[in-house]
Amino acid sequence: MAQAQARRAVESGVPDHTPFLHPTLKKNYGNWKYHDRPRPGVLHHVSHSGDEVWTVRAGTQRQMDVYTIRTLCDIADQFAEGHVRFTIRSNIEFMVSAEAKVAPLIAALGKHGFPVGGTGNSISMIAHTQGWLHCDIPGTDASGVVKSLMDELHEEFVREEMPNRVHLSTSCCEINCGGQADIAIVIQHTKPPVINHELVANVCERPTVVARCPVAAIRPAMVNGKPSLEVDEAKCVCCGACYPPCPPMQINDPEHSKIAIWVGGKNANARGKPTFMKMVAAGLPNNPPRWTEVAVVVKKILRVYKDDARPWERVADWIERIGWPRFFEKTELPFTKYLIDDWKGARANLNASTHIRF
Ligand code: SF4
Ligand code: SF4
């Protein structure tokens, strides 16, 4: 019998991107002299070697069917030079090495409904979490909120007239894999989970679920002779963290799962430190298919920011300058004591015990 071969390690990290680079980018990698922005949505890079490349940025809806991707690839083959890349906010960029190719490329993108913009101070395409397509715990359809909002906001992607970049994100649970954003739309559960005791013993690893709760509100319990769990509803902050490891603790609810708006987060450290976003509106209806009430609040904040912020102020910088009272006055959003919690009290109001964490 042949000797068993040693198994080889499978490399599954990020693939090397260099074979896919546009040849001009590859040739001049790390050797750029300067770049400018001849018009919104177009970047022009000049290399020390004298080579030039124009990059045209178009917005996409992020979750794309195969026909849309083929359309974009056909545009790349016909009007660009066969190379594309995606930005972190799901825009697509086409590179060309001759200025004469820029206008026909923009016309082709426009003909197929892809707006060109986003290279300057604009609202970028909204980053959204996976939602119903890939994740098992969403309380809303993040991509649906994005589609509805960008239908109304995409002119601000094309025009680039905001004081600084505005990054928006949507997250379909409170655990929020969407991260920080200038304006974020985040699901908000308002009632504790409802436990299906019949299923808990078969489906959930109870110590894991108990350890998962940030306020230690979950306890093991025997219910109808079966091992199950119980929730101290006075303690529960309705975060939804128990639902992923224990689906019988259902927290999604068509009436009680709402939407909250958070503002002032950013990951960049340009001109100021990264900042955490803070909640400024809560209890908005989770109202598909157009999420009208959410759009009203987001557009109101954007309008006031656009009118009131100084050039280059991000949303967080603008609020820092005018102060939270003025923010609520100007946006006419109702203020309650539950908003803009900055977690200074987290050591006291959240469970930080090492005894019941993982
Ligand atoms: S935000 Fe929550 S529900 Fe949505 S994809 Fe991320 S982890 Fe899943
Ligand atoms: S994990 Fe969150 S939702 Fe679940 S019981 Fe604890 S506080 Fe409530």
Side-chain angles (χ1 to χ4, degrees), residues 124-350:
S124 194
M125 290 294 144
I126 304 174
H128 70 78
T129 49
Q130 305 304 316
W132 291 326
L133 196 61
H134 291 301
C135 189
D136 54 359
I137 58 169
T140 188
D141 176 23
S143 51
V145 182
V146 167
K147 162 75 176 134
S148 314
L149 269 176
M150 281 320 282
D151 279 352
E152 302 192 40
L153 297 177
H154 79 276
E155 282 299 324
E156 293 292 354
F157 173 80
V158 173
R159 285 204 297 258
E160 305 189 349
E161 292 169 349
M162 300 305 277
N164 200 336
R165 285 172 187 279
V166 184
H167 286 171
L168 282 79
S169 74
T170 67
S171 295
C172 35
C173 76
E174 291 192 23
I175 298 163
N176 180 16
C177 70
Q180 301 298 315
D182 293 286
I183 302 177
I185 298 128
V186 184
I187 197 78
Q188 176 191 36
H189 300 300
T190 58
K191 297 275 187 214
V194 176
I195 305 176
N196 182 338
H197 296 288
E198 290 299 308
L199 292 178
V200 168
N202 297 338
V203 177
C204 313
E205 198 178 329
R206 293 188 304 155
T208 307
V209 186
V210 170
R212 181 89 168 211
C213 179
V215 290
I218 307 174
R219 288 185 293 256
M222 293 296 285
V223 180
N224 300 329
K226 288 188 173 181
S228 187
L229 299 161
E230 65 182 8
V231 170
D232 180 345
E233 298 197 351
K235 277 184 166 181
C236 174
V237 292
C238 310
C239 67
C242 49
Y243 177 57
C246 187
M249 297 184 73
Q250 179 61 261
I251 195 162
N252 285 336
D253 182 276
E255 188 187 341
H256 301 304
S257 292
K258 306 279 191 184
I259 285 184
I261 311 284
W262 298 60
V263 304
K266 76 178 178 90
N267 297 312
N269 53 12
R271 297 180 196 85
K273 287 186 287 190
T275 51
F276 284 118
M277 56 198 190
K278 297 183 171 64
M279 188 164 71
V280 295
L284 302 172
N286 181 16
N287 187 12
R290 301 304 296 178
W291 286 270
T292 322
E293 298 83 356
V294 172
V296 167
V297 175
V298 171
K299 285 199 295 188
K300 193 188 276 187
I301 297 169
L302 282 170
R303 180 174 42 76
V304 178
Y305 165 68
K306 187 176 177 181
D307 291 346
D308 199 54
R310 292 177 184 159
W312 299 105
E313 276 181 338
R314 289 281 290 257
V315 170
D317 305 325
W318 164 60
I319 297 170
E320 177 77 19
R321 177 172 60 79
I322 65 171
W324 284 107
R326 294 285 291 150
F327 170 87
F328 282 95
E329 268 171 47
K330 283 172 182 281
T331 55
E332 296 172 345
L333 294 171
F335 178 73
T336 76
K337 66 179 181 178
Y338 302 108
L339 301 175
I340 66 170
D341 181 0
D342 59 6
W343 294 92
K344 276 185 186 147
R347 292 291 295 179
N349 66 14
L350 288 187

